[in-house]
Amino acid sequence: MTRILIVEDEPRLRKDLADFLELTGFTAEGVATARELRQALADGSSPAVIILDVGLPDGNGFELAAEIRKSHACGIIMLTALGDSDDRIRGFESGADIYLVKHSTLREIEAAIRSLLRRTGKLPGSANGNNDQWVLDGTNWMLIAPNHRSLKLTATEFAFMSVLCNNCGEICQREDLIETVARPRANFDNRHLDAVVSRLRRKLEEHINLTVPIKVVYGVGYTFTASVVVQ
Protein backbone atom coordinates (compact mmCIF):
# COMPACT_ATOMS: atom_id res chain seq x y z
CA MET A 1 0.00 0.00 0.00
CA THR A 2 1.03 3.63 -0.48
CA ARG A 3 3.16 4.80 2.45
CA ILE A 4 2.53 8.17 4.11
CA LEU A 5 4.89 9.62 6.73
CA ILE A 6 3.40 12.13 9.18
CA VAL A 7 5.82 14.51 10.91
CA GLU A 8 3.82 16.18 13.68
CA ASP A 9 4.75 16.85 17.32
CA GLU A 10 1.16 17.09 18.56
CA PRO A 11 0.35 13.49 19.62
CA ARG A 12 -3.43 13.66 19.16
CA LEU A 13 -3.27 15.13 15.67
CA ARG A 14 -0.52 12.71 14.66
CA LYS A 15 -2.56 9.71 15.84
CA ASP A 16 -5.82 10.96 14.32
CA LEU A 17 -4.13 11.48 10.96
CA ALA A 18 -2.42 8.09 11.00
CA ASP A 19 -5.60 6.25 12.02
CA PHE A 20 -7.72 8.04 9.42
CA LEU A 21 -5.26 7.46 6.59
CA GLU A 22 -5.01 3.77 7.51
CA LEU A 23 -8.80 3.55 7.26
CA THR A 24 -8.77 5.19 3.84
CA GLY A 25 -6.36 2.64 2.42
CA PHE A 26 -2.88 4.02 3.03
CA THR A 27 -0.01 2.78 5.17
CA ALA A 28 0.63 5.62 7.61
CA GLU A 29 3.25 6.13 10.29
CA GLY A 30 3.97 9.13 12.47
CA VAL A 31 7.08 10.72 13.97
CA ALA A 32 7.30 13.69 16.31
CA THR A 33 10.70 15.30 15.64
CA ALA A 34 13.15 16.21 12.90
CA ARG A 35 15.55 13.61 14.30
CA GLU A 36 12.93 10.86 13.97
CA LEU A 37 12.14 12.04 10.44
CA ARG A 38 15.80 11.69 9.44
CA GLN A 39 15.91 8.24 11.03
CA ALA A 40 12.80 7.17 9.10
CA LEU A 41 14.43 8.25 5.83
CA ALA A 42 17.88 6.89 6.66
CA ASP A 43 17.33 3.47 5.05
CA GLY A 44 16.94 5.12 1.66
CA SER A 45 13.29 4.15 1.12
CA SER A 46 11.14 7.23 0.65
CA PRO A 47 7.45 7.40 1.52
CA ALA A 48 5.15 8.45 -1.28
CA VAL A 49 4.14 11.58 0.67
CA ILE A 50 5.44 13.33 3.77
CA ILE A 51 3.01 15.46 5.77
CA LEU A 52 5.28 17.96 7.43
CA ASP A 53 4.60 20.28 10.37
CA VAL A 54 6.52 23.56 10.22
CA GLY A 55 6.96 24.07 13.97
CA LEU A 56 8.86 21.05 15.30
CA PRO A 57 10.69 21.07 18.65
CA ASP A 58 14.08 20.39 17.06
CA GLY A 59 13.74 21.67 13.54
CA ASN A 60 12.19 24.13 11.12
CA GLY A 61 9.78 22.62 8.62
CA PHE A 62 10.82 25.00 5.83
CA GLU A 63 14.45 23.95 6.18
CA LEU A 64 13.47 20.28 6.47
CA ALA A 65 11.41 20.49 3.27
CA ALA A 66 14.44 21.81 1.38
CA GLU A 67 16.59 19.06 2.93
CA ILE A 68 14.11 16.34 1.94
CA ARG A 69 13.77 17.66 -1.58
CA LYS A 70 17.53 17.36 -2.21
CA SER A 71 17.66 13.61 -1.67
CA HIS A 72 14.15 12.13 -1.78
CA ALA A 73 11.63 12.03 -4.64
CA CYS A 74 8.50 12.16 -2.52
CA GLY A 75 5.57 14.52 -2.27
CA ILE A 76 5.58 17.07 0.55
CA ILE A 77 2.43 18.47 2.13
CA MET A 78 3.02 21.16 4.74
CA LEU A 79 0.48 21.19 7.56
CA THR A 80 0.87 24.22 9.77
CA ALA A 81 -0.81 26.93 11.80
CA LEU A 82 1.06 29.55 9.73
CA GLY A 83 -1.48 30.57 7.14
CA ASP A 84 -0.54 33.99 5.77
CA SER A 85 0.66 34.59 2.23
CA ASP A 86 4.35 35.00 3.05
CA ASP A 87 4.44 31.68 4.91
CA ARG A 88 2.70 29.87 2.04
CA ILE A 89 5.17 31.34 -0.46
CA ARG A 90 8.08 30.31 1.75
CA GLY A 91 6.63 26.81 2.01
CA PHE A 92 6.40 26.40 -1.76
CA GLU A 93 9.88 27.87 -2.25
CA SER A 94 11.23 25.35 0.28
CA GLY A 95 9.89 22.46 -1.78
CA ALA A 96 6.34 21.85 -0.57
CA ASP A 97 3.87 20.62 -3.18
CA ILE A 98 0.78 21.50 -1.14
CA TYR A 99 0.40 23.87 1.83
CA LEU A 100 -2.48 23.27 4.25
CA VAL A 101 -3.42 24.99 7.50
CA LYS A 102 -4.11 22.87 10.57
CA HIS A 103 -7.86 23.52 10.65
CA SER A 104 -8.15 21.53 7.40
CA THR A 105 -10.41 18.50 7.84
CA LEU A 106 -9.08 14.95 7.62
CA ARG A 107 -11.05 14.49 4.39
CA GLU A 108 -9.36 17.57 2.91
CA ILE A 109 -5.94 16.18 3.82
CA GLU A 110 -6.82 12.81 2.25
CA ALA A 111 -8.03 14.58 -0.91
CA ALA A 112 -4.79 16.59 -1.06
CA ILE A 113 -2.73 13.38 -0.78
CA ARG A 114 -4.68 11.66 -3.57
CA SER A 115 -4.44 14.75 -5.78
CA LEU A 116 -0.68 14.88 -5.25
CA LEU A 117 -0.29 11.16 -5.96
CA ARG A 118 -2.27 11.51 -9.19
CA ARG A 119 -0.02 14.35 -10.30
CA THR A 120 3.13 12.40 -9.55
CA GLY A 121 1.81 9.15 -11.04
CA LYS A 122 2.14 7.30 -7.73
CA LEU A 123 -1.55 6.61 -7.11
CA PRO A 124 -2.21 2.87 -7.47
CA GLY A 125 -4.71 1.83 -10.14
CA SER A 126 -8.21 2.71 -9.14
CA ALA A 127 -11.49 1.04 -9.99
CA ASN A 128 -13.73 4.01 -10.46
CA GLY A 129 -14.23 4.11 -14.25
CA ASN A 130 -17.52 3.29 -15.89
CA ASN A 131 -16.18 -0.02 -17.24
CA ASP A 132 -14.45 -0.99 -14.01
CA GLN A 133 -17.12 -3.14 -12.44
CA TRP A 134 -16.75 -5.17 -9.28
CA VAL A 135 -18.77 -8.30 -8.53
CA LEU A 136 -19.88 -9.61 -5.14
CA ASP A 137 -20.54 -13.33 -5.49
CA GLY A 138 -23.06 -14.29 -2.81
CA THR A 139 -22.87 -18.00 -3.53
CA ASN A 140 -19.14 -18.38 -3.01
CA TRP A 141 -18.55 -15.34 -0.77
CA MET A 142 -16.11 -13.86 -3.29
CA LEU A 143 -15.34 -10.25 -4.19
CA ILE A 144 -14.15 -10.07 -7.79
CA ALA A 145 -12.26 -6.99 -9.01
CA PRO A 146 -12.35 -5.42 -12.50
CA ASN A 147 -8.96 -7.00 -13.24
CA HIS A 148 -10.63 -10.42 -12.61
CA ARG A 149 -8.67 -11.11 -9.45
CA SER A 150 -10.78 -12.27 -6.51
CA LEU A 151 -10.74 -12.68 -2.75
CA LYS A 152 -12.61 -15.22 -0.66
CA LEU A 153 -14.35 -13.35 2.18
CA THR A 154 -14.98 -14.39 5.75
CA ALA A 155 -18.55 -14.35 7.09
CA THR A 156 -17.98 -10.97 8.76
CA GLU A 157 -16.34 -9.47 5.67
CA PHE A 158 -19.12 -10.77 3.42
CA ALA A 159 -21.81 -9.32 5.69
CA PHE A 160 -20.04 -5.95 5.63
CA MET A 161 -19.56 -5.98 1.85
CA SER A 162 -23.16 -7.05 1.27
CA VAL A 163 -24.44 -3.94 2.99
CA LEU A 164 -22.03 -1.66 1.12
CA CYS A 165 -22.60 -3.23 -2.29
CA ASN A 166 -26.38 -3.33 -1.97
CA ASN A 167 -26.29 0.37 -1.15
CA CYS A 168 -23.58 1.24 -3.66
CA GLY A 169 -22.91 4.96 -3.74
CA GLU A 170 -24.91 5.57 -0.57
CA ILE A 171 -23.38 6.13 2.85
CA CYS A 172 -23.97 3.18 5.18
CA GLN A 173 -24.31 4.30 8.77
CA ARG A 174 -21.92 2.81 11.32
CA GLU A 175 -24.79 1.71 13.54
CA ASP A 176 -26.44 -0.23 10.70
CA LEU A 177 -23.16 -1.87 9.73
CA ILE A 178 -22.41 -2.89 13.31
CA GLU A 179 -25.90 -4.36 13.70
CA THR A 180 -25.45 -6.40 10.51
CA VAL A 181 -21.87 -7.52 11.08
CA ALA A 182 -21.98 -8.29 14.82
CA ARG A 183 -22.73 -11.85 15.81
CA PRO A 184 -25.60 -12.37 18.28
CA ARG A 185 -24.71 -11.15 21.76
CA ALA A 186 -21.18 -10.25 20.62
CA ASN A 187 -19.44 -7.21 22.07
CA PHE A 188 -18.94 -5.40 18.74
CA ASP A 189 -18.40 -1.62 18.53
CA ASN A 190 -16.92 1.06 16.27
CA ARG A 191 -13.38 -0.03 17.05
CA HIS A 192 -14.13 -3.60 15.97
CA LEU A 193 -15.82 -2.38 12.78
CA ASP A 194 -12.82 -0.24 11.84
CA ALA A 195 -10.50 -3.19 12.49
CA VAL A 196 -12.58 -5.37 10.15
CA VAL A 197 -12.38 -2.72 7.41
CA SER A 198 -8.65 -2.17 7.88
CA ARG A 199 -7.88 -5.90 7.60
CA LEU A 200 -10.17 -6.26 4.59
CA ARG A 201 -8.44 -3.37 2.79
CA ARG A 202 -5.03 -4.92 3.33
CA LYS A 203 -6.16 -8.34 2.12
CA LEU A 204 -7.83 -6.90 -0.96
CA GLU A 205 -4.90 -4.73 -1.97
CA GLU A 206 -2.46 -7.60 -1.46
CA HIS A 207 -4.53 -10.01 -3.59
CA ILE A 208 -6.07 -7.65 -6.12
CA ASN A 209 -3.46 -4.90 -6.57
CA LEU A 210 -6.04 -2.14 -7.00
CA THR A 211 -7.08 0.77 -4.82
CA VAL A 212 -10.09 -0.52 -2.91
CA PRO A 213 -13.14 1.76 -3.37
CA ILE A 214 -14.28 1.43 0.27
CA LYS A 215 -14.37 5.00 1.54
CA VAL A 216 -14.78 6.18 5.10
CA VAL A 217 -17.15 9.07 5.73
CA TYR A 218 -15.59 10.37 8.89
CA GLY A 219 -17.91 10.19 11.87
CA VAL A 220 -20.75 8.71 9.78
CA GLY A 221 -19.92 5.39 8.17
CA TYR A 222 -18.63 3.79 4.96
CA THR A 223 -19.51 3.74 1.28
CA PHE A 224 -18.50 1.72 -1.81
CA THR A 225 -17.72 4.21 -4.58
CA ALA A 226 -17.28 1.94 -7.60
CA SER A 227 -19.78 0.21 -9.86
CA VAL A 228 -20.70 -3.21 -8.45
CA VAL A 229 -22.99 -6.14 -9.29
CA VAL A 230 -24.31 -8.39 -6.53
CA GLN A 231 -24.90 -11.96 -7.70
Side-chain angles (χ1 to χ4, degrees), residues 8-42:
E8 169 59 58
D9 64 332
E10 185 181 333
R12 178 62 183 272
L13 177 56
R14 186 172 66 249
K15 184 177 187 305
D16 284 351
L17 265 173
D19 290 348
F20 178 78
L21 292 176
E22 286 279 346
L23 289 172
T24 55
F26 296 105
T27 296
E29 59 182 299
V31 298
T33 65
R35 180 180 62 84
E36 292 175 345
L37 165 63
R38 294 187 179 101
Q39 288 175 342
L41 297 176

Side-chain angles (χ1 to χ4, degrees), residues 40-71:
L41 297 176
D43 63 0
S45 63
S46 298
V49 175
I50 296 177
I51 300 175
L52 181 61
D53 184 13
V54 168
L56 296 170
D58 62 342
N60 179 293
F62 297 120
E63 295 172 359
L64 286 169
E67 179 182 326
I68 294 166
R69 187 58 72 209
K70 288 179 182 178
S71 55

Side-chain angles (χ1 to χ4, degrees), residues 135-147:
V135 176
L136 182 64
D137 180 350
T139 302
N140 300 301
W141 289 8
M142 301 281 290
L143 183 63
I144 304 166
N147 60 8

Side-chain angles (χ1 to χ4, degrees), residues 2-229:
T2 305
R3 178 181 167 219
I4 311 297
L5 180 62
I6 302 158
V7 189
E8 169 59 58
D9 64 332
E10 185 181 333
R12 178 62 183 272
L13 177 56
R14 186 172 66 249
K15 184 177 187 305
D16 284 351
L17 265 173
D19 290 348
F20 178 78
L21 292 176
E22 286 279 346
L23 289 172
T24 55
F26 296 105
T27 296
E29 59 182 299
V31 298
T33 65
R35 180 180 62 84
E36 292 175 345
L37 165 63
R38 294 187 179 101
Q39 288 175 342
L41 297 176
D43 63 0
S45 63
S46 298
V49 175
I50 296 177
I51 300 175
L52 181 61
D53 184 13
V54 168
L56 296 170
D58 62 342
N60 179 293
F62 297 120
E63 295 172 359
L64 286 169
E67 179 182 326
I68 294 166
R69 187 58 72 209
K70 288 179 182 178
S71 55
H72 295 277
C74 57
I76 299 176
I77 296 177
M78 282 193 165
L79 185 62
T80 173
L82 305 175
D84 63 37
S85 177
D86 288 342
D87 290 317
R88 289 196 298 273
I89 291 170
R90 186 181 178 191
F92 290 125
E93 289 177 343
S94 298
D97 297 289
I98 295 175
Y99 192 100
L100 297 174
V101 292
K102 283 195 175 180
H103 59 66
S104 301
T105 67
L106 296 176
R107 292 295 304 278
E108 287 175 308
I109 296 170
E110 179 204 358
I113 291 171
R114 294 190 184 279
S115 174
L116 179 54
L117 291 173
R118 281 194 296 271
R119 290 188 345 231
T120 58
K122 294 181 179 179
L123 187 68
S126 127
N128 292 328
N130 290 334
N131 297 322
D132 294 333
Q133 192 166 73
W134 294 68
V135 176
L136 182 64
D137 180 350
T139 302
N140 300 301
W141 289 8
M142 301 281 290
L143 183 63
I144 304 166
N147 60 8
H148 305 298
R149 295 186 181 184
S150 62
L151 177 70
K152 177 75 172 178
L153 303 176
T154 66
T156 300
E157 292 165 350
F158 180 75
F160 172 79
M161 288 304 306
S162 292
V163 177
L164 257 62
C165 292
N166 281 302
N167 293 276
C168 186
E170 301 294 327
I171 299 171
C172 299
Q173 302 286 328
R174 282 182 171 273
E175 293 78 9
D176 296 335
L177 289 166
I178 289 171
E179 183 177 349
T180 300
V181 170
R183 296 175 182 175
R185 297 181 296 280
N187 182 17
F188 198 98
D189 57 17
N190 281 319
R191 181 170 54 84
H192 292 92
L193 177 64
D194 292 340
V196 168
V197 178
S198 182
R199 285 194 299 269
L200 179 57
R201 284 184 188 281
R202 288 192 180 95
K203 287 167 63 177
L204 283 167
E205 294 196 356
E206 287 170 3
H207 285 81
I208 290 174
N209 197 31
L210 289 176
T211 297
V212 180
I214 300 172
K215 302 298 181 185
V216 62
V217 181
Y218 196 64
V220 181
Y222 289 93
T223 183
F224 196 82
T225 60
S227 175
V228 61
V229 172

